[in-house]
Amino acid sequence: MPRTERWGRPYPDNRDWSIYNALLVKRGEFYLSLDFIDRWDEHLSQMNAGKRGRPFQYPESFIAWMAGIHTFLQMPYRQMEGFVRRLAAFIPGLKAADYTTLFRRIQRLDLSLPVVPELLGEDIIVAADSTGIKVTNRGEWMREKWRVRRGWIKLHVMIDVETNQALGLEITDESVQDDQMFIPLLDQTQQHGSEEHPVYRVLADGAYDRNELFNTLEQRRIASGIKTRVDAATHSTGSPYRAECVRDRNRWGGYPMWSRVVTYGMRWKAEGFFSGFKRIFGEGVQATSQEGMFREIRMKVNCYNRMLALAGGQAS
């Protein structure tokens, strides 16, 4: 089979590896970032101000830290109680919580996507994509022999190609198509970007080649980096902006030049996000209910975003 010539430009790796190595080492500080201990009493007083009923005994920052330990180390709740009890014996100011308290408080945590706006550029270029998360470790033989099929979960994200932060996050089952989550992802991304960091361009593959998505981009004055079909119409068939993008692609001589103009190659940052995410957290989930699976994945993405922010947005 003849080898197909690569028309895309190779990615120039210009990063300073000494700085990059230091940033990767710094990520290890995430596991034992105990800054919340210094503001333990302050956080508790704020949480209990005007509260009726039993007051909180543990600040939200401590619960969020324990949720990170649970997520990264996949530590069961009873073991977490023993872990923090032993850790409290060495660290003044740290108070141990029982496993039932940890479980209930972690289940009530705010799981909105954490984003550091200070790391974002003036004009944001984002990449949209999705990946599958396994819901069982059953192998191919089990599925074939016993006709067991539980499907998978889809993780939809929009990634800032400069900082690698996830700016939009949606979790669905396998029946939901990628393009159906595009507008909700874009809404979240624009909320995180605000007027100071507007979204300039969206990069996406052919799964997002839909008229309504091009119309949405045109209405919001966002440039398209969506890959259109080879035989796409050059006249309006429901989206004048899509037809304009197709004419531009043809005028530039096809996909190779089009990809350079719109920096379509940077869409690989979404693939890099998924690769780093799965290397750290694995390709499956431990929860058994769908709601628990969705919460588990959201907690993992939140922790990964915080880790990227701690390391200055460098990819793993």
Side-chain angles (χ1 to χ4, degrees):
M1 186 175 186
R3 181 178 178 181
T4 303
E5 183 179 356
R6 187 181 187 278
W7 53 263
R9 293 180 298 175
Y11 175 71
D13 190 356
N14 297 323
R15 57 187 157 187
D16 189 324
W17 277 93
S18 61
I19 297 177
Y20 182 62
N21 288 336
L23 291 174
L24 293 181
V25 172
K26 188 177 180 181
R27 289 188 186 182
E29 300 177 6
F30 182 87
Y31 298 96
L32 286 176
S33 180
L34 303 176
D35 298 337
F36 61 87
I37 296 178
D38 297 333
R39 302 185 61 187
W40 185 289
D41 295 332
E42 179 184 349
H43 288 169
L44 274 182
S45 62
Q46 293 175 357
M47 294 173 60
N48 291 321
K51 185 181 185 301
R52 300 181 64 181
R54 185 179 179 181
F56 291 109
Q57 297 180 351
Y58 306 97
E60 198 78 354
S61 53
F62 166 71
I63 300 299
W65 179 72
M66 291 302 300
I69 295 296
H70 173 67
T71 301
F72 274 106
L73 304 183
Q74 298 184 0
M75 188 181 295
Y77 286 98
R78 287 178 173 84
Q79 292 183 21
M80 288 170 60
E81 178 181 345
F83 170 80
V84 72
R85 184 187 301 171
R86 177 57 62 182
L87 196 61
F90 297 99
I91 301 177
L94 180 62
K95 299 178 182 179
D98 61 88
Y99 70 91
T100 55
T101 299
L102 292 174
F103 175 80
R104 292 169 183 168
R105 290 287 300 276
I106 288 176
Q107 294 303 308
R108 297 198 299 264
L109 271 178
D110 178 19
L111 295 182
S112 56
L113 194 63
V115 174
V116 181
E118 292 77 13
L119 296 178
L120 300 176
E122 294 183 359
D123 294 320
I124 304 174
I125 298 179
V126 295
D129 207 349
S130 69
T131 189
I133 304 293
K134 295 189 296 184
V135 300
T136 177
N137 288 327
R138 288 189 176 98
E140 186 65 28
W141 184 88
M142 285 287 290
R143 290 194 292 270
E144 184 68 24
K145 174 67 176 177
W146 302 107
R147 299 294 188 267
V148 176
R149 183 182 184 278
R150 294 188 61 190
W152 65 88
I153 293 174
K154 293 183 73 173
L155 170 60
H156 309 259
V157 296
M158 266 193 182
I159 304 296
D160 175 23
V161 300
E162 291 296 328
T163 66
N164 304 305
Q165 292 184 93
L167 304 183
L169 168 65
E170 292 290 342
I171 304 168
T172 67
D173 58 32
E174 60 181 295
S175 64
V176 179
Q177 297 181 358
D178 292 356
D179 60 290
Q180 296 177 8
M181 291 294 103
F182 182 87
I183 295 179
L185 290 174
L186 186 59
D187 291 340
Q188 295 179 41
T189 299
Q190 290 190 292
Q191 290 176 2
H192 287 131
S194 70
E195 296 181 357
E196 298 179 357
H197 309 281
V199 178
Y200 169 68
R201 190 188 302 277
V202 178
L203 308 175
D205 59 23
Y208 300 88
D209 183 14
R210 300 290 185 273
N211 286 339
E212 55 270 23
L213 305 188
F214 279 90
N215 292 336
T216 299
L217 293 178
E218 182 181 25
Q219 292 170 3
R220 303 187 186 188
R221 298 182 179 180
I222 299 175
S224 169
I226 300 176
K227 186 178 181 180
T228 53
R229 296 192 303 271
V230 176
D231 58 349
T234 57
H235 57 277
S236 177
T237 57
S239 175
Y241 181 53
R242 178 177 180 272
E244 179 184 346
C245 293
V246 174
R247 290 194 297 269
D248 289 339
R249 182 201 67 192
N250 294 342
R251 186 173 65 252
W252 293 329
Y255 282 120
M257 183 57 67
W258 171 84
S259 67
R260 297 182 183 183
V261 173
V262 304
T263 63
Y264 181 73
M266 295 304 290
R267 195 187 64 84
W268 73 268
K269 287 296 188 76
E271 301 291 347
F273 181 92
F274 293 141
S275 176
F277 175 83
K278 290 182 178 181
R279 284 202 306 271
I280 294 176
F281 299 106
E283 298 185 1
V285 293
Q286 292 181 316
T288 55
S289 67
Q290 188 180 76
E291 180 182 359
M293 294 175 187
F294 286 8
R295 284 187 59 84
E296 180 181 338
I297 295 176
R298 190 170 289 274
M299 287 176 61
K300 289 178 178 180
V301 175
N302 287 359
C303 289
Y304 190 56
N305 246 24
R306 292 191 180 98
M307 178 179 284
L308 288 175
L310 182 65
Q314 297 294 325
S316 59

